[in-house]
mmCIF file of all heavy atoms in Angstrom:
data_model
loop_
_atom_site.group_PDB
_atom_site.id
_atom_site.type_symbol
_atom_site.label_atom_id
_atom_site.label_comp_id
_atom_site.label_asym_id
_atom_site.label_seq_id
_atom_site.Cartn_x
_atom_site.Cartn_y
_atom_site.Cartn_z
ATOM 1 N N TRP P 273 104.422 -26.446 -43.482
ATOM 2 C CA TRP P 273 105.634 -27.076 -42.923
ATOM 3 C C TRP P 273 105.442 -27.218 -41.407
ATOM 4 O O TRP P 273 105.984 -26.471 -40.625
ATOM 5 C CB TRP P 273 106.872 -26.236 -43.236
ATOM 6 C CG TRP P 273 108.145 -27.028 -43.124
ATOM 7 C CD1 TRP P 273 108.929 -27.211 -42.017
ATOM 8 C CD2 TRP P 273 108.772 -27.770 -44.171
ATOM 9 N NE1 TRP P 273 109.997 -28.011 -42.307
ATOM 10 C CE2 TRP P 273 109.936 -28.372 -43.629
ATOM 11 C CE3 TRP P 273 108.477 -27.995 -45.514
ATOM 12 C CZ2 TRP P 273 110.792 -29.172 -44.390
ATOM 13 C CZ3 TRP P 273 109.333 -28.789 -46.259
ATOM 14 C CH2 TRP P 273 110.470 -29.359 -45.703
ATOM 15 N N ARG P 274 104.633 -28.169 -41.042
ATOM 16 C CA ARG P 274 104.289 -28.338 -39.638
ATOM 17 C C ARG P 274 105.470 -28.870 -38.832
ATOM 18 O O ARG P 274 106.270 -29.664 -39.335
ATOM 19 C CB ARG P 274 103.106 -29.300 -39.484
ATOM 20 C CG ARG P 274 101.766 -28.716 -39.910
ATOM 21 C CD ARG P 274 100.644 -29.680 -39.568
ATOM 22 N NE ARG P 274 100.634 -29.989 -38.127
ATOM 23 C CZ ARG P 274 99.952 -30.992 -37.592
ATOM 24 N NH1 ARG P 274 99.253 -31.802 -38.369
ATOM 25 N NH2 ARG P 274 99.980 -31.195 -36.294
ATOM 26 N N ILE P 275 105.551 -28.408 -37.606
ATOM 27 C CA ILE P 275 106.508 -28.985 -36.665
ATOM 28 C C ILE P 275 105.729 -29.939 -35.776
ATOM 29 O O ILE P 275 104.801 -29.541 -35.055
ATOM 30 C CB ILE P 275 107.193 -27.885 -35.820
ATOM 31 C CG1 ILE P 275 107.894 -26.870 -36.730
ATOM 32 C CG2 ILE P 275 108.190 -28.518 -34.854
ATOM 33 C CD1 ILE P 275 108.964 -27.450 -37.632
ATOM 34 N N TYR P 276 106.086 -31.209 -35.859
ATOM 35 C CA TYR P 276 105.370 -32.243 -35.122
ATOM 36 C C TYR P 276 106.046 -32.480 -33.769
ATOM 37 O O TYR P 276 107.251 -32.270 -33.616
ATOM 38 C CB TYR P 276 105.351 -33.541 -35.930
ATOM 39 C CG TYR P 276 104.730 -33.380 -37.296
ATOM 40 C CD1 TYR P 276 105.524 -33.145 -38.421
ATOM 41 C CD2 TYR P 276 103.357 -33.451 -37.475
ATOM 42 C CE1 TYR P 276 104.957 -32.980 -39.679
ATOM 43 C CE2 TYR P 276 102.773 -33.291 -38.735
ATOM 44 C CZ TYR P 276 103.589 -33.063 -39.827
ATOM 45 O OH TYR P 276 103.024 -32.899 -41.059
ATOM 46 N N ALA P 277 105.264 -32.928 -32.806
ATOM 47 C CA ALA P 277 105.800 -33.157 -31.471
ATOM 48 C C ALA P 277 104.961 -34.206 -30.763
ATOM 49 O O ALA P 277 103.816 -34.465 -31.124
ATOM 50 C CB ALA P 277 105.812 -31.858 -30.662
ATOM 51 N N ARG P 278 105.552 -34.805 -29.737
ATOM 52 C CA ARG P 278 104.822 -35.741 -28.883
ATOM 53 C C ARG P 278 104.455 -34.990 -27.608
ATOM 54 O O ARG P 278 105.324 -34.640 -26.822
ATOM 55 C CB ARG P 278 105.702 -36.942 -28.558
ATOM 56 C CG ARG P 278 105.032 -37.963 -27.654
ATOM 57 C CD ARG P 278 105.945 -39.152 -27.465
ATOM 58 N NE ARG P 278 105.326 -40.133 -26.578
ATOM 59 C CZ ARG P 278 105.870 -41.321 -26.321
ATOM 60 N NH1 ARG P 278 107.022 -41.651 -26.878
ATOM 61 N NH2 ARG P 278 105.264 -42.154 -25.514
ATOM 62 N N ASN P 279 103.170 -34.736 -27.428
ATOM 63 C CA ASN P 279 102.740 -33.884 -26.328
ATOM 64 C C ASN P 279 101.768 -34.598 -25.403
ATOM 65 O O ASN P 279 100.956 -35.407 -25.848
ATOM 66 C CB ASN P 279 102.040 -32.630 -26.872
ATOM 67 C CG ASN P 279 103.013 -31.698 -27.540
ATOM 68 O OD1 ASN P 279 103.952 -31.246 -26.915
ATOM 69 N ND2 ASN P 279 102.802 -31.428 -28.814
ATOM 70 N N PRO P 280 101.818 -34.271 -24.123
ATOM 71 C CA PRO P 280 100.805 -34.800 -23.218
ATOM 72 C C PRO P 280 99.438 -34.203 -23.545
ATOM 73 O O PRO P 280 99.347 -33.086 -24.047
ATOM 74 C CB PRO P 280 101.291 -34.318 -21.839
ATOM 75 C CG PRO P 280 102.092 -33.100 -22.133
ATOM 76 C CD PRO P 280 102.752 -33.350 -23.466
ATOM 77 N N ILE P 281 98.394 -34.969 -23.296
ATOM 78 C CA ILE P 281 97.045 -34.455 -23.519
ATOM 79 C C ILE P 281 96.620 -33.714 -22.264
ATOM 80 O O ILE P 281 96.512 -34.284 -21.185
ATOM 81 C CB ILE P 281 96.069 -35.604 -23.828
ATOM 82 C CG1 ILE P 281 96.489 -36.326 -25.108
ATOM 83 C CG2 ILE P 281 94.643 -35.073 -23.957
ATOM 84 C CD1 ILE P 281 95.689 -37.549 -25.419
ATOM 85 N N MET P 282 96.396 -32.424 -22.393
ATOM 86 C CA MET P 282 96.031 -31.595 -21.253
ATOM 87 C C MET P 282 94.814 -30.746 -21.603
ATOM 88 O O MET P 282 94.507 -30.532 -22.787
ATOM 89 C CB MET P 282 97.202 -30.676 -20.862
ATOM 90 C CG MET P 282 98.351 -31.396 -20.207
ATOM 91 S SD MET P 282 99.534 -30.222 -19.500
ATOM 92 C CE MET P 282 100.609 -31.356 -18.606
ATOM 93 N N PRO P 283 94.121 -30.235 -20.596
ATOM 94 C CA PRO P 283 92.979 -29.359 -20.869
ATOM 95 C C PRO P 283 93.457 -28.026 -21.425
ATOM 96 O O PRO P 283 94.648 -27.708 -21.370
ATOM 97 C CB PRO P 283 92.353 -29.182 -19.481
ATOM 98 C CG PRO P 283 93.469 -29.403 -18.523
ATOM 99 C CD PRO P 283 94.336 -30.440 -19.159
ATOM 100 N N PRO P 284 92.553 -27.208 -21.948
ATOM 101 C CA PRO P 284 92.939 -25.873 -22.428
ATOM 102 C C PRO P 284 93.531 -25.036 -21.301
ATOM 103 O O PRO P 284 93.248 -25.266 -20.128
ATOM 104 C CB PRO P 284 91.605 -25.274 -22.909
ATOM 105 C CG PRO P 284 90.716 -26.445 -23.140
ATOM 106 C CD PRO P 284 91.122 -27.479 -22.144
ATOM 107 N N HIS P 285 94.342 -24.061 -21.684
ATOM 108 C CA HIS P 285 94.887 -23.189 -20.649
ATOM 109 C C HIS P 285 93.787 -22.299 -20.076
ATOM 110 O O HIS P 285 92.760 -22.046 -20.724
ATOM 111 C CB HIS P 285 96.036 -22.343 -21.208
ATOM 112 C CG HIS P 285 95.629 -21.299 -22.190
ATOM 113 N ND1 HIS P 285 95.632 -21.493 -23.541
ATOM 114 C CD2 HIS P 285 95.185 -20.021 -21.999
ATOM 115 C CE1 HIS P 285 95.235 -20.399 -24.155
ATOM 116 N NE2 HIS P 285 94.944 -19.482 -23.248
ATOM 117 N N TYR P 286 94.016 -21.819 -18.865
ATOM 118 C CA TYR P 286 93.028 -20.999 -18.167
ATOM 119 C C TYR P 286 93.685 -19.707 -17.710
ATOM 120 O O TYR P 286 94.772 -19.726 -17.117
ATOM 121 C CB TYR P 286 92.475 -21.739 -16.952
ATOM 122 C CG TYR P 286 91.617 -20.876 -16.048
ATOM 123 C CD1 TYR P 286 90.295 -20.587 -16.376
ATOM 124 C CD2 TYR P 286 92.137 -20.334 -14.883
ATOM 125 C CE1 TYR P 286 89.510 -19.781 -15.564
ATOM 126 C CE2 TYR P 286 91.363 -19.525 -14.061
ATOM 127 C CZ TYR P 286 90.044 -19.257 -14.407
ATOM 128 O OH TYR P 286 89.278 -18.455 -13.600
ATOM 129 N N VAL P 287 93.043 -18.575 -17.996
ATOM 130 C CA VAL P 287 93.503 -17.274 -17.534
ATOM 131 C C VAL P 287 92.457 -16.721 -16.575
ATOM 132 O O VAL P 287 91.303 -16.487 -16.957
ATOM 133 C CB VAL P 287 93.717 -16.300 -18.707
ATOM 134 C CG1 VAL P 287 94.162 -14.935 -18.198
ATOM 135 C CG2 VAL P 287 94.759 -16.865 -19.674
ATOM 136 N N GLY P 288 92.850 -16.556 -15.321
ATOM 137 C CA GLY P 288 91.914 -16.172 -14.280
ATOM 138 C C GLY P 288 91.543 -14.701 -14.303
ATOM 139 O O GLY P 288 92.188 -13.865 -14.963
ATOM 140 N N LYS P 289 90.508 -14.351 -13.545
ATOM 141 C CA LYS P 289 90.049 -12.986 -13.423
ATOM 142 C C LYS P 289 91.149 -12.119 -12.814
ATOM 143 O O LYS P 289 91.737 -12.462 -11.795
ATOM 144 C CB LYS P 289 88.803 -12.933 -12.536
ATOM 145 C CG LYS P 289 88.173 -11.553 -12.423
ATOM 146 C CD LYS P 289 86.911 -11.602 -11.585
ATOM 147 C CE LYS P 289 86.283 -10.221 -11.489
ATOM 148 N NZ LYS P 289 85.034 -10.242 -10.669
ATOM 149 N N GLY P 290 91.436 -11.004 -13.459
ATOM 150 C CA GLY P 290 92.456 -10.099 -12.961
ATOM 151 C C GLY P 290 93.861 -10.432 -13.430
ATOM 152 O O GLY P 290 94.788 -9.645 -13.219
ATOM 153 N N ALA P 291 94.032 -11.588 -14.056
ATOM 154 C CA ALA P 291 95.353 -11.946 -14.581
ATOM 155 C C ALA P 291 95.684 -11.069 -15.788
ATOM 156 O O ALA P 291 94.784 -10.583 -16.485
ATOM 157 C CB ALA P 291 95.395 -13.412 -14.980
ATOM 158 N N ILE P 292 96.966 -10.884 -16.027
ATOM 159 C CA ILE P 292 97.422 -10.126 -17.192
ATOM 160 C C ILE P 292 98.354 -11.017 -18.007
ATOM 161 O O ILE P 292 99.348 -11.530 -17.481
ATOM 162 C CB ILE P 292 98.165 -8.840 -16.772
ATOM 163 C CG1 ILE P 292 97.209 -7.891 -16.034
ATOM 164 C CG2 ILE P 292 98.770 -8.153 -17.999
ATOM 165 C CD1 ILE P 292 97.904 -6.659 -15.475
ATOM 166 N N VAL P 293 98.008 -11.207 -19.261
ATOM 167 C CA VAL P 293 98.871 -11.972 -20.176
ATOM 168 C C VAL P 293 99.078 -11.114 -21.412
ATOM 169 O O VAL P 293 98.124 -10.816 -22.140
ATOM 170 C CB VAL P 293 98.252 -13.326 -20.561
ATOM 171 C CG1 VAL P 293 99.168 -14.067 -21.535
ATOM 172 C CG2 VAL P 293 97.995 -14.171 -19.330
ATOM 173 N N GLU P 294 100.322 -10.704 -21.654
ATOM 174 C CA GLU P 294 100.636 -9.844 -22.787
ATOM 175 C C GLU P 294 101.816 -10.401 -23.583
ATOM 176 O O GLU P 294 102.802 -10.828 -22.992
ATOM 177 C CB GLU P 294 101.002 -8.427 -22.306
ATOM 178 C CG GLU P 294 99.871 -7.673 -21.638
ATOM 179 C CD GLU P 294 100.309 -6.295 -21.159
ATOM 180 O OE1 GLU P 294 101.535 -6.016 -21.194
ATOM 181 O OE2 GLU P 294 99.443 -5.503 -20.749
ATOM 182 N N ASP P 295 101.666 -10.386 -24.909
ATOM 183 C CA ASP P 295 102.797 -10.687 -25.791
ATOM 184 C C ASP P 295 103.476 -11.995 -25.384
ATOM 185 O O ASP P 295 104.693 -12.073 -25.278
ATOM 186 C CB ASP P 295 103.791 -9.519 -25.734
ATOM 187 C CG ASP P 295 104.853 -9.593 -26.819
ATOM 188 O OD1 ASP P 295 104.616 -10.289 -27.824
ATOM 189 O OD2 ASP P 295 105.921 -8.988 -26.645
ATOM 190 N N SER P 296 102.681 -13.036 -25.134
ATOM 191 C CA SER P 296 103.223 -14.286 -24.601
ATOM 192 C C SER P 296 102.645 -15.494 -25.325
ATOM 193 O O SER P 296 101.592 -15.416 -25.975
ATOM 194 C CB SER P 296 102.909 -14.394 -23.098
ATOM 195 O OG SER P 296 103.553 -13.369 -22.374
ATOM 196 N N MET P 297 103.319 -16.619 -25.196
ATOM 197 C CA MET P 297 102.866 -17.895 -25.723
ATOM 198 C C MET P 297 102.476 -18.771 -24.529
ATOM 199 O O MET P 297 103.305 -19.049 -23.664
ATOM 200 C CB MET P 297 103.986 -18.553 -26.538
ATOM 201 C CG MET P 297 103.606 -19.869 -27.174
ATOM 202 S SD MET P 297 104.990 -20.527 -28.153
ATOM 203 C CE MET P 297 105.002 -19.357 -29.506
ATOM 204 N N VAL P 298 101.209 -19.166 -24.464
ATOM 205 C CA VAL P 298 100.694 -19.929 -23.331
ATOM 206 C C VAL P 298 100.165 -21.261 -23.848
ATOM 207 O O VAL P 298 99.252 -21.294 -24.681
ATOM 208 C CB VAL P 298 99.589 -19.151 -22.597
ATOM 209 C CG1 VAL P 298 99.087 -19.944 -21.399
ATOM 210 C CG2 VAL P 298 100.099 -17.783 -22.143
ATOM 211 N N THR P 299 100.714 -22.357 -23.365
ATOM 212 C CA THR P 299 100.411 -23.682 -23.883
ATOM 213 C C THR P 299 99.290 -24.342 -23.078
ATOM 214 O O THR P 299 98.943 -23.888 -21.989
ATOM 215 C CB THR P 299 101.686 -24.543 -23.835
ATOM 216 O OG1 THR P 299 102.766 -23.776 -24.387
ATOM 217 C CG2 THR P 299 101.550 -25.804 -24.672
ATOM 218 N N GLU P 300 98.728 -25.441 -23.626
ATOM 219 C CA GLU P 300 97.612 -26.111 -22.980
ATOM 220 C C GLU P 300 97.951 -26.534 -21.547
ATOM 221 O O GLU P 300 99.089 -26.845 -21.236
ATOM 222 C CB GLU P 300 97.162 -27.336 -23.791
ATOM 223 C CG GLU P 300 98.195 -28.439 -23.898
ATOM 224 C CD GLU P 300 99.021 -28.368 -25.155
ATOM 225 O OE1 GLU P 300 99.146 -27.283 -25.734
ATOM 226 O OE2 GLU P 300 99.549 -29.421 -25.557
ATOM 227 N N GLY P 301 96.931 -26.539 -20.716
ATOM 228 C CA GLY P 301 97.104 -26.996 -19.346
ATOM 229 C C GLY P 301 97.621 -25.937 -18.396
ATOM 230 O O GLY P 301 97.715 -26.190 -17.193
ATOM 231 N N CYS P 302 97.964 -24.740 -18.896
ATOM 232 C CA CYS P 302 98.472 -23.693 -18.011
ATOM 233 C C CYS P 302 97.324 -23.060 -17.214
ATOM 234 O O CYS P 302 96.190 -22.961 -17.696
ATOM 235 C CB CYS P 302 99.174 -22.592 -18.818
ATOM 236 S SG CYS P 302 100.756 -23.082 -19.510
ATOM 237 N N GLU P 303 97.662 -22.632 -16.017
ATOM 238 C CA GLU P 303 96.715 -21.900 -15.185
ATOM 239 C C GLU P 303 97.383 -20.592 -14.780
ATOM 240 O O GLU P 303 98.356 -20.593 -14.028
ATOM 241 C CB GLU P 303 96.343 -22.712 -13.950
ATOM 242 C CG GLU P 303 95.302 -22.047 -13.076
ATOM 243 C CD GLU P 303 94.932 -22.895 -11.868
ATOM 244 O OE1 GLU P 303 95.272 -24.096 -11.857
ATOM 245 O OE2 GLU P 303 94.322 -22.352 -10.936
ATOM 246 N N VAL P 304 96.861 -19.489 -15.317
ATOM 247 C CA VAL P 304 97.495 -18.195 -15.107
ATOM 248 C C VAL P 304 96.565 -17.291 -14.305
ATOM 249 O O VAL P 304 95.479 -16.927 -14.768
ATOM 250 C CB VAL P 304 97.842 -17.517 -16.447
ATOM 251 C CG1 VAL P 304 98.528 -16.185 -16.213
ATOM 252 C CG2 VAL P 304 98.724 -18.430 -17.300
ATOM 253 N N ASN P 305 97.006 -16.940 -13.106
ATOM 254 C CA ASN P 305 96.255 -15.998 -12.276
ATOM 255 C C ASN P 305 97.073 -14.750 -11.947
ATOM 256 O O ASN P 305 96.560 -13.829 -11.322
ATOM 257 C CB ASN P 305 95.810 -16.682 -10.983
ATOM 258 C CG ASN P 305 94.715 -17.710 -11.229
ATOM 259 O OD1 ASN P 305 93.595 -17.361 -11.591
ATOM 260 N ND2 ASN P 305 95.045 -18.975 -11.062
ATOM 261 N N GLY P 306 98.344 -14.733 -12.342
ATOM 262 C CA GLY P 306 99.216 -13.599 -12.099
ATOM 263 C C GLY P 306 99.480 -12.815 -13.365
ATOM 264 O O GLY P 306 98.683 -12.833 -14.309
ATOM 265 N N ASP P 307 100.608 -12.131 -13.426
ATOM 266 C CA ASP P 307 100.975 -11.282 -14.554
ATOM 267 C C ASP P 307 102.069 -11.955 -15.386
ATOM 268 O O ASP P 307 103.122 -12.327 -14.842
ATOM 269 C CB ASP P 307 101.484 -9.926 -14.069
ATOM 270 C CG ASP P 307 100.389 -9.112 -13.378
ATOM 271 O OD1 ASP P 307 99.231 -9.579 -13.352
ATOM 272 O OD2 ASP P 307 100.696 -8.022 -12.861
ATOM 273 N N VAL P 308 101.824 -12.088 -16.663
ATOM 274 C CA VAL P 308 102.786 -12.708 -17.574
ATOM 275 C C VAL P 308 102.990 -11.779 -18.760
ATOM 276 O O VAL P 308 102.027 -11.438 -19.465
ATOM 277 C CB VAL P 308 102.290 -14.087 -18.055
ATOM 278 C CG1 VAL P 308 103.281 -14.688 -19.057
ATOM 279 C CG2 VAL P 308 102.074 -15.033 -16.883
ATOM 280 N N ARG P 309 104.226 -11.382 -19.010
ATOM 281 C CA ARG P 309 104.530 -10.491 -20.128
ATOM 282 C C ARG P 309 105.733 -11.016 -20.904
ATOM 283 O O ARG P 309 106.743 -11.376 -20.311
ATOM 284 C CB ARG P 309 104.813 -9.072 -19.620
ATOM 285 C CG ARG P 309 103.607 -8.366 -18.995
ATOM 286 C CD ARG P 309 103.986 -6.991 -18.486
ATOM 287 N NE ARG P 309 102.819 -6.227 -18.037
ATOM 288 C CZ ARG P 309 102.300 -6.305 -16.815
ATOM 289 N NH1 ARG P 309 102.849 -7.127 -15.912
ATOM 290 N NH2 ARG P 309 101.243 -5.584 -16.483
ATOM 291 N N HIS P 310 105.604 -11.051 -22.230
ATOM 292 C CA HIS P 310 106.695 -11.414 -23.133
ATOM 293 C C HIS P 310 107.429 -12.679 -22.647
ATOM 294 O O HIS P 310 108.629 -12.688 -22.418
ATOM 295 C CB HIS P 310 107.688 -10.254 -23.265
ATOM 296 C CG HIS P 310 108.583 -10.396 -24.465
ATOM 297 N ND1 HIS P 310 109.916 -10.711 -24.366
ATOM 298 C CD2 HIS P 310 108.322 -10.283 -25.789
ATOM 299 C CE1 HIS P 310 110.447 -10.779 -25.573
ATOM 300 N NE2 HIS P 310 109.500 -10.521 -26.455
ATOM 301 N N SER P 311 106.651 -13.737 -22.474
ATOM 302 C CA SER P 311 107.213 -14.984 -21.958
ATOM 303 C C SER P 311 106.615 -16.182 -22.683
ATOM 304 O O SER P 311 105.575 -16.077 -23.340
ATOM 305 C CB SER P 311 106.949 -15.102 -20.448
ATOM 306 O OG SER P 311 107.643 -14.085 -19.743
ATOM 307 N N VAL P 312 107.270 -17.330 -22.533
ATOM 308 C CA VAL P 312 106.807 -18.593 -23.117
ATOM 309 C C VAL P 312 106.505 -19.551 -21.971
ATOM 310 O O VAL P 312 107.394 -19.890 -21.186
ATOM 311 C CB VAL P 312 107.872 -19.195 -24.053
ATOM 312 C CG1 VAL P 312 107.419 -20.552 -24.575
ATOM 313 C CG2 VAL P 312 108.167 -18.248 -25.219
ATOM 314 N N LEU P 313 105.232 -19.972 -21.882
ATOM 315 C CA LEU P 313 104.813 -20.921 -20.853
ATOM 316 C C LEU P 313 104.536 -22.270 -21.502
ATOM 317 O O LEU P 313 103.696 -22.377 -22.396
ATOM 318 C CB LEU P 313 103.550 -20.439 -20.135
ATOM 319 C CG LEU P 313 103.523 -19.022 -19.552
ATOM 320 C CD1 LEU P 313 102.265 -18.833 -18.711
ATOM 321 C CD2 LEU P 313 104.766 -18.724 -18.729
ATOM 322 N N PHE P 314 105.218 -23.293 -21.042
ATOM 323 C CA PHE P 314 105.006 -24.649 -21.545
ATOM 324 C C PHE P 314 103.778 -25.277 -20.884
ATOM 325 O O PHE P 314 103.168 -24.702 -19.974
ATOM 326 C CB PHE P 314 106.244 -25.504 -21.277
ATOM 327 C CG PHE P 314 107.397 -25.234 -22.198
ATOM 328 C CD1 PHE P 314 108.155 -24.081 -22.064
ATOM 329 C CD2 PHE P 314 107.739 -26.136 -23.190
ATOM 330 C CE1 PHE P 314 109.225 -23.829 -22.901
ATOM 331 C CE2 PHE P 314 108.817 -25.894 -24.034
ATOM 332 C CZ PHE P 314 109.560 -24.742 -23.894
ATOM 333 N N ALA P 315 103.456 -26.497 -21.290
ATOM 334 C CA ALA P 315 102.253 -27.176 -20.814
ATOM 335 C C ALA P 315 102.262 -27.352 -19.295
ATOM 336 O O ALA P 315 103.283 -27.714 -18.701
ATOM 337 C CB ALA P 315 102.129 -28.548 -21.492
ATOM 338 N N GLY P 316 101.100 -27.114 -18.692
ATOM 339 C CA GLY P 316 100.923 -27.419 -17.281
ATOM 340 C C GLY P 316 101.549 -26.446 -16.306
ATOM 341 O O GLY P 316 101.638 -26.736 -15.112
#
Side-chain angles (χ1 to χ4, degrees):
W273 200 271
R274 287 187 57 194
I275 303 301
Y276 303 95
R278 179 176 179 175
N279 290 301
I281 298 174
M282 288 191 172
H285 69 266
Y286 171 79
V287 178
K289 184 177 180 180
I292 296 175
V293 179
E294 295 179 351
D295 192 21
S296 296
M297 182 178 290
V298 181
T299 313
E300 64 265 24
C302 288
E303 183 179 345
V304 181
N305 289 292
D307 294 356
V308 177
R309 294 178 173 86
H310 197 252
S311 295
V312 176
L313 308 188
F314 284 74

